[in-house]
Amino acid sequence: MERSKYLGGSDIAALCGVSRYKGEYEVWLSKVSEAYQRKDTNACEWGRRLEKVVADKFAEEHAFDLVPGRAICHRKHAFIGGTPDFIYVEADGSQGVLEVKTTNAYNAHDWDNGDCPDEYRLQVQWYLMLTGLTNAYLAVLIGGQDYREVKIVADLCLQKNLLTIACNFWHNHVETKTPPSCEMKAETIALVYDKDDGSTKQLSRPASFIETLKAKEAEIKRIEAEVEAMKNEIKQALGESTFGLIGNRFLVEWKTVNRKGCEVKPTSYRQFRIKEIGTKLVEA
């Protein structure tokens, strides 16, 4: 299946506004423009290289057989499709979807307590919709050494909503070649306008637009400096302590984290986080 001819599992999160990597405009551009091509990253390359390693670990943990995923087209809509990473087969013959991910240690908190990023959860529901299966797993390798799994059960109501979103997008924007009314990300702008032609254009923005822009940039720098100073005040108060309590509401953590396989940067660093008591830790 040619990627420009259908909406796949990696597209649906963008259409729902939860993708960290692309938005509606990027999806639209990838379907209507032959010139559009996302550049491969080192993370993508190594994710593909490690895919089978992580899948083999999953198969060993469960004693399941694995079948490489194949391209699947929706039974009613030719523009709806996708390719799951694997289909797992249990001893009793029942099957499910296995999607494999890799990420760095900085994103470990996204996978705490059996959770996972929303974009991956939607991707798996997309593949469950296409296959008609009811169970799936996300297997992830974090930082090259931390293996985790998340089990996902089919949500038919969510799948119906995803299909509606995808159909509306295809009919209203792809078929009509009408771009969605949303802002392009900086990465997309760089891809669309990747070369200059040496010309000069008179822009319609007033001078006050630039004045406001410069004022906001200065305000951001000021706020960032204030935030850094406040964090440093807390770190000085903590000293060598790992945790600190502020009133009965906040817990601060300044914990040593080992950095694996790094030759240039120090082998460890202290990660600063703030937790409102009763909620999950979030990186500050």
Side-chain angles (χ1 to χ4, degrees), residues 76-94:
K76 292 183 179 179
H77 306 288
F79 55 86
I80 300 294
T83 307
D85 288 337
F86 297 92
I87 300 297
Y88 66 81
V89 184
E90 301 184 41
D92 63 0
S94 52

Side-chain angles (χ1 to χ4, degrees), residues 234 237-238 241-254 273-278:
I234 295 173
L238 279 172
S241 297
T242 305
F243 300 100
L245 286 169
I246 297 182
N248 295 318
R249 184 177 174 187
F250 294 102
L251 174 74
V252 292
E253 177 189 60
W254 195 24
R273 297 182 181 182
I274 298 174
K275 176 184 179 181
E276 187 167 1
I277 294 174

Side-chain angles (χ1 to χ4, degrees), residues 47-189:
R48 288 193 299 271
R49 289 178 180 271
L50 292 170
E51 186 176 280
K52 190 175 186 306
V53 175
V54 181
D56 287 345
K57 170 66 174 176
F58 172 84
E60 291 173 8
E61 290 288 317
H62 297 271
F64 290 168
D65 291 328
L66 291 181
V67 179
R70 60 179 180 83
I72 306 170
C73 184
H74 192 274
R75 61 187 183 279
K76 292 183 179 179
H77 306 288
F79 55 86
I80 300 294
T83 307
D85 288 337
F86 297 92
I87 300 297
Y88 66 81
V89 184
E90 301 184 41
D92 63 0
S94 52
Q95 299 181 357
V97 170
L98 170 63
E99 193 67 14
V100 174
K101 302 296 178 185
T102 56
T103 191
N104 61 51
Y106 296 107
N107 296 324
H109 59 277
D110 290 339
W111 301 84
D112 287 344
N113 304 314
D115 202 1
C116 68
D118 288 339
E119 60 198 300
Y120 298 151
R121 192 177 297 277
L122 294 184
Q123 184 179 18
V124 169
Q125 288 290 345
W126 188 259
Y127 295 147
L128 288 173
M129 175 189 70
L130 290 172
T131 60
L133 298 173
T134 56
N135 292 296
Y137 279 93
L138 270 167
V140 61
L141 183 64
I142 303 171
Q145 61 182 11
D146 183 2
Y147 172 81
R148 303 187 195 180
E149 296 177 0
V150 178
K151 186 171 184 179
I152 297 175
V153 178
D155 184 332
L156 299 182
C157 182
L158 174 58
Q159 291 174 15
K160 182 179 179 180
N161 291 340
L162 296 180
L163 184 61
T164 298
I165 290 170
C167 287
N168 288 340
F169 180 83
W170 190 270
H171 295 315
N172 295 332
H173 298 291
V174 178
E175 289 181 341
T176 64
K177 296 187 182 297
T178 304
S181 56
C182 58
E183 295 180 2
M184 285 191 285
K185 294 183 179 180
E187 178 186 355
T188 306
I189 294 174

